[in-house]
């Protein structure tokens, strides 16, 4: 397949004195090296993309880079025989928009070791509604189950419930047979959270956890997108041998708690670092996302679709906590 000499990309310049981001014309030679060239169909907007795209978080470790930590599309050329022209592939994390050029461009160049053939059960659009957010939610449950979590232990609570990771976590937990509960700052979205499967929805502003090192054990596990006081509070209220997956910092990056939940209740705090997940775990989690863990409400969870030109407008809302569901980026589908 022939490709144009130049194509459009949302490129971020994050130098010490100069921060700017916007649409530029780039060529294949401008992109980080890799074996697989992909015609991008879809990408998505994650919290990390908003941090990178506005310069409000130090995400890029090289500059300039094309933004976008997620990408899905069709292979146009590959020097690795494992991929052929026309193959549908996706990539999430793996250094995109951090150490190498990402998915906010009409073409992306990927390292073949991180390009995943599209799993059975998903189309490219669905794969990007999931994107890093869905992979992170599923990776959280994967790690919790590896550490002994089962539906029989009781309900699992999800914080930051109306965000991308949060909504997908509620849907995935429900598909996996868990009773999911939601903690949210947006009680006006209660009906939608219930539609996803949340059996209880609790207002973040009306949480009355005590401050003792151990409070009444309420949940068997938690997927936390918020961090700081929320995560500290969760450590005090998780049942014996329950797991807390710490994946986010939408409320802050601190953590002030005691060792009591760990040494008295055997609670485990599991770190979730989706971008650097090993390939064999990545493959296993994506297989489940296309099969028994596939969220039932992907179309509803995708609340917005934007073009490359419209990207700048969505970042600030996300960083201000105004997100509701997932934003897709339609590049060429
Ligand atoms: N570890 C990883 O590999 C990984 C991967 C993806 C994302 N993340 C992190 O996970 C978090 C969620 O990501 P996302 O893409 O789902 O972002 P998102 O769509 O913006 O969702 C974040 C949600 O957190 C809640 N929130 C926002 N500000 C808050 C505050 N000040 N205090 C308490 N809650 C607040 C809001 O939900 P409610 O209004 O419903 O409470 C918001 O919708 C982010 O911190 C992101 O960096 C980590």
């Amino acid at each position: 397949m022939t490709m144009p000499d130049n194509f459009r990309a949302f490129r971020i310049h994050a130098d010490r004195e100069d921060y700017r981001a916007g649409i530029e014309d780039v060529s294949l030679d401008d992109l980080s090296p890799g074996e697989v060239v992909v015609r991008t169909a879809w990408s998505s907007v994650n919290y990390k993309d908003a941090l990178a795209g506005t310069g409000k978080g130090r995400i890029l470790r090289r500059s300039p880079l094309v933004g976008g930590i997620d990408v899905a599309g069709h292979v146009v050329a590959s020097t690795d025989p494992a991929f052929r022209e026309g193959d549908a592939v996706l990539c999430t994390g793996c250094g995109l928009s951090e150490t190498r050029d990402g998915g906010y461009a009409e073409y992306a160049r990927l390292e073949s070791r991180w390009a995943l053939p599209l799993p059975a059960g998903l189309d490219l659009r669905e794969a990007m509604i999931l994107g890093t957010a869905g992979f992170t939610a599923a990776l959280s449950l994967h790690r919790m189950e590896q550490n002994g979590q089962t539906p029989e232990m009781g309900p699992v609570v999800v914080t930051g419930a109306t965000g991308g990771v949060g909504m997908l976590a509620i849907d995935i937990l429900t598909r996996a047979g868990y009773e999911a509960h939601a903690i949210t700052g947006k009680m006006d979205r209660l009906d939608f959270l219930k539609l996803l499967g949340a059996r209880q929805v609790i207002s973040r502003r009306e949480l009355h956890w005590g401050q003792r090192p151990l409070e009444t054990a309420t949940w068997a596990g938690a997927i936390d997108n918020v961090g700081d006081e929320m995560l500290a509070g969760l450590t005090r209220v998780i049942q014996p041998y329950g797991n807390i997956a710490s994946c986010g910092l939408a409320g802050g990056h601190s953590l002030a708690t005691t060792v009591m939940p760990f040494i008295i209740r055997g609670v485990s705090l599991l770190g979730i670092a989706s971008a650097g997940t090993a390939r064999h775990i990545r493959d296993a989690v994506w297989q489940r996302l296309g099969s028994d863990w596939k969220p039932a409400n992907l179309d509803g969870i995708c609340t917005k679709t934007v073009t490359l030109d419209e990207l700048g407008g969505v970042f600030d809302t996300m960083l201000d906590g105004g997100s509701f569901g997932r934003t897709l980026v339609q590049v060429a589908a």
Side-chain angles (χ1 to χ4, degrees), residues 83-168:
F83 293 93
R84 294 208 189 138
E85 188 180 327
D87 285 354
V89 294
L90 70 99
C91 186
T92 62
C94 303
L96 298 183
S97 181
E98 211 171 329
T99 53
R100 48 183 297 113
D101 291 290
Y104 292 163
E106 290 169 337
Y107 291 85
R109 190 153 61 176
L110 306 173
E111 291 174 291
S112 59
R113 65 191 173 125
W114 295 124
L116 259 63
L118 186 70
L122 294 174
D123 62 30
L124 288 173
R125 179 174 170 275
E126 290 174 325
M128 286 293 99
I129 298 175
L130 289 163
T132 286
F135 178 67
T136 301
L139 179 64
S140 298
L141 183 56
H142 174 85
R143 291 215 61 202
M144 291 167 77
E145 290 199 336
Q146 280 194 321
N147 204 39
Q149 195 79 37
T150 61
E152 293 70 35
M153 289 166 68
V156 173
V157 70
V158 176
T159 66
T162 64
V165 178
M167 278 194 185
L168 288 161

Side-chain angles (χ1 to χ4, degrees), residues 113 173 244 313:
R113 65 191 173 125
L173 283 165
I244 304 170

Side-chain angles (χ1 to χ4, degrees), residues 7-11 22-24 39-44 66-68 102-107 305-315 328-332:
F7 50 89
R8 303 174 79 235
F10 180 90
R11 208 174 192 205
I23 302 294
E24 293 178 22
R39 172 81 169 111
T40 306
W42 303 93
S43 180
S44 81
V66 175
Y104 292 163
E106 290 169 337
Y107 291 85
T305 302
V306 298
T307 62
L308 289 178
D309 298 282
E310 293 164 332
L311 271 171
V314 298
F315 295 148
L328 260 186
V329 184
Q330 182 163 22
V331 183

Side-chain angles (χ1 to χ4, degrees), residues 40-64:
T40 306
W42 303 93
S43 180
S44 81
V45 182
N46 298 275
Y47 198 85
K48 200 170 182 178
D49 294 312
L51 289 171
T54 56
K56 290 183 179 162
R58 293 174 63 85
I59 303 297
L60 272 67
R61 286 187 258 151
R62 272 186 45 211
S63 175

Side-chain angles (χ1 to χ4, degrees), residues 47 136 161-165 184-186 204 247-250 272 274 318 323:
Y47 198 85
T136 301
T162 64
V165 178
T184 181
K186 303 188 194 82
R204 158 175 16 125
C247 43
L249 43 53
I272 306 300
S274 64
M318 185 165 237
S323 294

